[in-house]
Amino acid sequence: MQALINGLRMNYSDEGNRNGIPLLFIHGFPFSSAMWNPQWEYFAKSFRVITYDIRGHGASEIGDAQFSLEYFIDDILSLLQYLHIPDAVFIGLSMGGYIALRMYERHPEKFLALVLCDTKSEADTNEAKIRRAQQALQVKREGAEIFARAFAQAVFFEKSFQTNPNAVASIKKIIASTSPLAIAGTLIALAARTDTTHVLSTISVPTLVLVGENDTVTPVANSRTIAEKILNADLKIISSAGHLSNLENANEFNDALEQFLHNIFKK
């Protein structure tokens, strides 16, 4: 489905129990809502599951590609208003976690609960900002397919290339089909994002932190620190998974998320 959100066509999916608790899944960079397929298929039985493509990703329009995390959050607010959803459980992976944390800082009243997956609260270091700027130039020069191959090597656990080749192939295909201009614009937006570490101690909704045990992009130690700073947050380490824990070990990821939701909503 598509909706006109802040002047751009946004691709989204609204599935499952329309009277159920809404779960809003926010995908990572540079993916699309398709990365959440193992989750919406599983949770739509009991919950209202909303997935969407961030502007410039998937089937959502790119516009001028001058992106900011603030614009991504404005898009969420407009999408929720369009769907007449006052509040939801926010589930964000990697960049999706950055967005969810900044969203909480701006609009905590929109949260029933929060799930942070393979993410961090710190802003980029100077070195990381420089690296993203170089990557932005590189992807515009060489194209998304080359970028996709290198990115997949960085985010997947080494064994996933043998044990879960379909997930690897799917992510490569998603990245390769993304506009290099959108990838570059998002890289700049990520480099410019604010630090949200100070927000962690203010979070008062039930929170779950999920991380792949072999995540080298946002390691377990980082997620453990996040969980320690959020009052009563739960931490679950997903075995045999890297940075894309929801795909690399979907069964364990879904079980952990289901148990968390059950404890909150008794479903």
Side-chain angles (χ1 to χ4, degrees):
M1 293 179 282
Q2 290 204 329
L4 187 63
I5 300 294
N6 296 328
L8 296 176
R9 285 284 170 187
M10 175 186 285
N11 184 63
Y12 75 95
S13 175
D14 185 1
E15 306 287 348
N17 181 0
R18 296 303 292 267
N19 295 317
I21 301 295
L23 309 181
L24 178 69
F25 288 86
I26 312 173
H27 67 76
F29 165 80
F31 314 130
S32 75
S33 57
M35 70 164 287
W36 293 115
N37 285 351
Q39 281 68 54
W40 79 255
E41 291 172 354
Y42 186 88
F43 288 99
K45 293 173 289 187
S46 302
F47 295 89
R48 182 177 181 180
V49 178
I50 299 100
T51 62
Y52 74 103
D53 295 333
I54 292 169
R55 59 170 68 192
H57 298 73
S60 289
E61 284 186 323
I62 183 175
D64 60 11
Q66 295 182 8
F67 298 154
S68 164
L69 240 68
E70 303 307 316
Y71 305 160
F72 298 162
I73 292 161
D74 292 342
D75 290 344
I76 292 176
L77 290 168
S78 296
L79 178 62
L80 291 176
Q81 184 178 29
Y82 177 83
L83 296 174
H84 304 288
I85 296 174
D87 45 28
V89 177
F90 284 73
I91 303 160
L93 186 143
S94 194
M95 175 178 70
Y98 307 159
I99 294 170
L101 281 171
R102 177 62 178 141
M103 176 76 179
Y104 188 90
E105 184 176 18
R106 286 178 53 180
H107 291 281
E109 75 281 358
K110 296 293 184 182
F111 286 71
L112 295 172
L114 173 62
V115 183
L116 298 169
C117 318
D118 299 279
T119 193
K120 62 182 180 179
S121 60
E122 297 86 1
D124 277 358
T125 62
N126 286 342
E127 292 77 12
K129 293 178 190 290
I130 293 169
R131 184 168 61 252
R132 290 197 197 274
Q134 292 170 338
Q135 289 176 324
L137 290 175
Q138 184 178 16
V139 73
K140 288 192 289 186
R141 183 174 59 246
E142 299 178 351
E145 189 168 345
I146 292 175
F147 185 84
R149 292 200 294 267
F151 204 86
Q153 289 291 334
V155 296
F156 280 104
F157 176 38
E158 182 181 1
K159 290 184 178 179
S160 293
F161 287 88
Q162 288 75 46
T163 60
N164 206 338
N166 290 338
V168 175
S170 174
I171 287 298
K172 285 183 178 179
K173 183 178 179 180
I174 291 170
I175 300 174
S177 64
T178 304
S179 164
L181 195 60
I183 293 175
T186 308
L187 282 163
I188 300 304
L190 293 176
R193 75 184 188 278
T194 58
D195 191 300
T196 53
T197 302
H198 65 282
V199 178
L200 300 176
S201 62
T202 72
I203 295 173
S204 59
V205 297
T207 302
L208 173 65
V209 181
L210 297 172
V211 62
E213 68 172 339
N214 303 108
D215 188 344
T216 58
V217 179
T218 52
V220 170
N222 184 278
S223 291
R224 197 180 303 278
T225 299
I226 289 176
E228 289 172 352
K229 291 183 177 180
I230 300 174
L231 182 65
N232 297 324
D234 295 325
L235 172 67
K236 175 65 177 178
I237 300 170
I238 307 300
S239 63
S240 302
H243 191 58
L244 295 180
S245 58
N246 74 302
L247 290 173
E248 295 178 82
N249 192 342
N251 289 339
E252 192 171 316
F253 183 100
N254 289 349
D255 286 346
L257 180 54
E258 182 177 42
Q259 185 61 53
F260 173 72
L261 295 171
H262 173 78
N263 289 341
I264 301 169
F265 304 113
K266 307 305 178 186
K267 281 185 173 291

